[in-house]
C-alpha cells in the first residue's frame, strides 16, 4: 500500500512536457514550454492560422493585449509577426512566471510586460493605454466577456482597434456596443471565434 501511495505522489509531482509551437514570423517553429494546469486551453493551431491570416496585415507595429494569455499562444504569435508591444495578463502566477521565462528565452522582454492579475481588475484599475489589437480567450463558462467588454470601452481601444473573441459555441455573445462591427466569424469544433473592428 505504501509503495502505491508513494508512486501516485511521484507521478503527480512530475511536470508534463507540454509545448507551444509558434507558427510563423521571427520565431517560426520555435517550441516553448507551457504550464500543465487545469483549464489551460491553448488556441488550436488551425484556429490560430485562420486568425492570423485575418489580421496579419495589421500586426506590424501594433500595440496589443492578450488578456487571458494562458499559454501565450496568441500574444507570442503576434510578437513573432512584428507587433510592437504585447501586454500579457493572467490571473495565474504559474502562467505568468512561465510567460516571463518564455519571453526571456526569446529575447523579447523589452517588447512585452506580464501582469499576474485578474483581467477585469487590471482593466478597471490601471491607467488605460490604447491598444490596436486585443485578444480575448477567457476560460469557458465563467461569464468573463460580459465583465471585460465594458471595461475595454474605458480608453483601452484605439480607433479602429481589432478585438478577437474566442468562446464556447453554445454560449451567447454578450451585448456589444453599437460601434463594434463583426468582420469575421468561424466555428471550429466546440468553439466559435470572431473578429471585431471598433470605431470611435
Amino acid at each position: 500500500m505504501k509503495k502505491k501511495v508513494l508512486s501516485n505522489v511521484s507521478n503527480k509531482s512530475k511536470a508534463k512536457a507540454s509545448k507551444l509551437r509558434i507558427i510563423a514570423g521571427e520565431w517560426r517553429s520555435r517550441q516553448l514550454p507551457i504550464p500543465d494546469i487545469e483549464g489551460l486551453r491553448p488556441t488550436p493551431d488551425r484556429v490560430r492560422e485562420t486568425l492570423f491570416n485575418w489580421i496579419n496585415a495589421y500586426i506590424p507595429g501594433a500595440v496589443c493585449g492578450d488578456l487571458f494569455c494562458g499559454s501565450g499562444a496568441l500574444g507570442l504569435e503576434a510578437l513573432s509577426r512584428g507587433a510592437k508591444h504585447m501586454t500579457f495578463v493572467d490571473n495565474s502566477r504559474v502562467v505568468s512566471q512561465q510567460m516571463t521565462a518564455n519571453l526571456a528565452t526569446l529575447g523579447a522582454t523589452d517588447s512585452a510586460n506580464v501582469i499576474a492579475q485578474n483581467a477585469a481588475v487590471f482593466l478597471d484599475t490601471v491607467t488605460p493605454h490604447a491598444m490596436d489589437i486585443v485578444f480575448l480567450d477567457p476560460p469557458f463558462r465563467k461569464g468573463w466577456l460580459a465583465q471585460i467588454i465594458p471595461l475595454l470601452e474605458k480608453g483601452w481601444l484605439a480607433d479602429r482597434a481589432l478585438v478577437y473573441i474566442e468562446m464556447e459555441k453554445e454560449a451567447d455573445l454578450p451585448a456589444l456596443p453599437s460601434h463594434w462591427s463583426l468582420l469575421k466569424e468561424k466555428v471550429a469544433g466546440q468553439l466559435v471565434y470572431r473578429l471585431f473592428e471598433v470605431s470611435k
Side-chain angles (χ1 to χ4, degrees), residues 11-186:
N11 287 339
K12 284 181 181 178
S13 65
K14 288 180 182 176
K16 295 181 182 177
S18 299
K19 296 281 188 178
L20 162 71
R21 182 181 68 87
I22 297 176
I23 297 169
E26 180 183 355
W27 306 317
R28 181 179 180 179
S29 298
R30 289 288 296 270
Q31 294 194 28
L32 298 163
I34 59 175
D36 188 71
I37 59 176
E38 186 177 355
L40 189 65
R41 180 184 43 78
T43 298
D45 281 6
R46 63 183 176 139
V47 173
R48 267 193 294 152
E49 287 176 359
T50 300
L51 165 62
F52 282 93
N53 284 339
W54 290 349
I55 68 173
N56 212 39
Y58 303 92
I59 293 174
V63 174
C64 310
D66 190 351
L67 300 187
F68 297 87
C69 68
S71 68
L74 300 177
L76 289 173
E77 191 72 42
L79 284 174
S80 181
R81 295 172 186 240
K84 179 181 179 180
H85 190 271
M86 182 67 62
T87 298
F88 293 95
V89 182
D90 200 282
N91 202 35
S92 166
R93 192 158 296 280
V94 173
V95 163
S96 301
Q97 288 171 346
Q98 186 63 66
M99 193 73 255
T100 300
N102 286 346
L103 288 166
T105 297
L106 296 168
T109 53
D110 290 343
S111 301
N113 59 323
V114 180
I115 311 295
Q117 194 172 39
N118 175 300
V121 173
F122 170 75
L123 293 175
D124 199 32
T125 59
V126 174
T127 301
H129 61 272
M131 295 186 285
D132 303 302
I133 303 173
V134 175
F135 300 102
L136 297 178
D137 179 16
F140 284 177
R141 303 173 186 91
K142 302 289 186 183
W144 278 110
L145 291 173
Q147 295 182 57
I148 296 297
I149 288 168
L151 293 173
L152 286 173
E153 288 289 302
K154 297 183 175 182
W156 287 101
L157 300 173
D159 187 28
R160 307 190 79 80
L162 298 177
V163 179
Y164 169 76
I165 295 177
E166 185 175 317
M167 60 188 292
E168 62 274 36
K169 185 171 65 175
E170 74 273 14
D172 293 327
L173 190 66
L176 298 175
S178 60
H179 56 279
W180 287 44
S181 303
L182 179 64
L183 298 181
K184 302 281 187 178
E185 180 178 29
K186 199 163 185 179

